[in-house]
Amino acid sequence: MSRRTTEPTSPCPCGLPATYAQCCGRLHSGQAAAATPEGLMRSRYAAFAVEDEAYLLRTWHPRTRPPGIGFDGGMRWTGLEILGTGEGSAFHRTGTVTFRARYTEGGRPGSLHEHSRFERVDGAWVYVDGDIGE
């Protein structure tokens, strides 16, 4: 398991105005759980940024979970923009998040646009799958 060093006092990679320890770090360590699909999406983005494979696998739906995460050592995640959400309240069993994630790879900028689906499993939000867009 490879992991990038992230200081607890560093800004959280998810883009919210909090430190990593106050924000997604609490979810990654298991001290808290995401209350909404957007919260889970943000924490999963941050987990990709810090290369936390255990968290990503733990928050992936069992029926779609891959055996492992293949992190690209030359890729750096540089920003997350939430474009929209659907359902995902305390009264829903499913939810969606549309986002754009920015990265650099080999010094060249790029972005990933995805419409992601989430479900509750044993009361916890998990990532199911997503449609990659332009």
Side-chain angles (χ1 to χ4, degrees):
M1 174 175 120
S2 170
R3 212 152 164 195
R4 294 187 186 205
T5 303
T6 301
E7 295 298 322
T9 56
S10 296
C12 192
C14 82
L16 291 177
T19 66
Y20 176 68
Q22 295 169 323
C23 195
C24 293
R26 297 177 329 107
L27 282 69
H28 295 172
S29 69
Q31 295 173 343
T36 64
E38 180 181 343
L40 183 62
M41 177 63 246
R42 287 182 176 281
S43 70
R44 287 177 55 81
Y45 170 85
F48 273 104
V50 302
E51 297 184 353
D52 187 341
E53 181 178 51
Y55 181 77
L56 289 165
L57 294 174
R58 188 170 70 244
T59 58
W60 212 306
H61 197 291
R63 80 170 178 264
T64 59
R65 181 186 304 133
I69 307 294
F71 294 111
D72 179 344
M75 181 178 274
R76 298 287 181 268
W77 294 100
T78 60
L80 176 66
E81 178 184 5
I82 302 298
L83 303 173
T85 61
E87 298 185 330
S89 76
F91 303 104
H92 294 110
R93 291 189 28 78
T94 62
T96 61
V97 178
T98 303
F99 69 92
R100 181 173 291 112
R102 292 180 308 282
Y103 61 86
T104 60
E105 186 170 21
R108 292 186 315 270
S111 68
L112 168 71
H113 181 251
E114 182 175 307
H115 178 75
S116 301
R117 286 176 284 281
F118 299 85
E119 291 180 12
R120 287 187 191 269
V121 172
D122 297 328
W125 287 110
V126 293
Y127 171 78
V128 177
D129 61 16
D131 298 321
I132 305 292
E134 304 250 341

